[in-house]
Amino acid sequence: VLDHSELVEALTGTLTAQGFPHRSQQDRLALQSMVHNLIAVCDVTGSGSITRAEFLEPHTGFADTVVASLGL
């Protein structure tokens, strides 16, 4: 299970490693907002966090939704 802050940290590290500029405070706030919105969409249990199943669900899971949202 991953909560909001864990998802933000994981995405920040992954995107930075891939060359995406998410270092400014404005970029960080935008990423936090995106994660918040994606949790609302992908958290089918309503727990406020993302389970492994919610993360991996094809097409509608957190991972695939992030990829689609970022156009990757």
Side-chain angles (χ1 to χ4, degrees):
V1 175
L2 298 171
D3 66 20
H4 182 271
S5 63
E6 292 168 323
L7 290 163
V8 169
E9 288 302 316
L11 276 175
T12 299
T14 300
L15 292 173
T16 299
Q18 296 298 317
F20 287 84
H22 289 286
R23 297 183 187 260
S24 74
Q25 183 65 20
Q26 184 177 355
D27 290 337
R28 182 116 175 125
L29 290 173
L31 186 60
Q32 288 174 347
S33 178
M34 183 184 86
V35 168
H36 175 78
N37 292 334
L38 292 177
I39 288 174
V41 170
C42 300
D43 178 20
V44 295
T45 63
S47 66
S49 58
I50 297 295
T51 65
R52 179 181 170 90
E54 291 167 336
F55 189 88
L56 296 174
E57 183 67 32
H59 309 292
T60 60
F62 191 87
D64 283 353
T65 305
V66 166
V67 170
S69 295
L70 295 175
L72 301 176

